[in-house]
Amino acid sequence: IHRTPAQIKCMQKYLYDRNTAAHENNIVKAVEADIAFHIKIAEACNNKILSDLYKTIAAQLKTYFIEVFVDTKLLIQKQELHEQLLQSIIDKDAKKAWKCVSAITYHENNGNISA
């Protein structure tokens, strides 16, 4: 709800980078872009605690994802859900954003991995 146009542009760039790297099967770059995308979302919430918390766990998430992912198929499969999440943020639709996050988390956990 509190996002700025500049934050939206950053989110769009990270999501584009995530998708490009995933299609190139570049796990490291795809994971880095994914994490940057989610950090920017946390920053856009204007909740310093949430933002700091996500930044704190980001390094561990990156290490974990890079160790666990054997390829970028799951990242590619999740791209549309991430795009829907971004659109809900653009639309300032918190309810839809929550549904997108729930769908991303459900699909990730169903595959025994989080992205």
Side-chain angles (χ1 to χ4, degrees):
I1 293 173
H2 304 289
R3 90 297 183 276
T4 66
Q7 289 168 326
I8 291 295
K9 281 191 175 201
C10 284
M11 287 180 224
Q12 289 169 325
K13 181 193 178 310
Y14 292 136
L15 201 53
Y16 174 83
D17 292 348
R18 177 191 186 279
N19 191 42
T20 301
H23 278 85
E24 293 170 353
N25 201 33
N26 187 328
I27 295 169
V28 173
K29 285 187 179 182
V31 167
E32 288 173 346
D34 182 74
I35 290 171
F37 172 73
H38 289 283
I39 286 173
K40 189 53 69 178
I41 292 171
E43 290 173 352
C45 292
N46 290 331
N47 179 327
K48 181 131 173 72
I49 293 171
L50 177 65
S51 178
D52 288 348
L53 179 64
Y54 199 86
K55 288 175 187 175
T56 299
I57 64 169
Q60 288 77 23
L61 286 173
K62 177 183 174 184
T63 300
Y64 173 74
F65 291 154
I66 290 170
E67 288 176 3
V68 174
F69 283 119
V70 294
D71 59 36
T72 58
K73 286 180 189 174
L74 184 61
L75 290 162
I76 292 169
Q77 291 171 356
K78 301 287 189 181
Q79 185 68 23
E80 186 176 336
L81 287 171
H82 282 75
E83 289 171 5
Q84 290 172 12
L85 173 58
L86 177 57
Q87 188 60 52
S88 66
I89 293 167
I90 291 168
D91 295 342
K92 295 186 177 186
D93 188 338
K95 188 180 253 186
K96 184 179 173 191
W98 182 252
K99 286 181 182 180
C100 291
V101 170
S102 295
I104 290 167
T105 304
Y106 171 77
H107 286 100
E108 289 162 357
N109 290 335
N110 207 19
N112 297 322
I113 192 164
S114 219

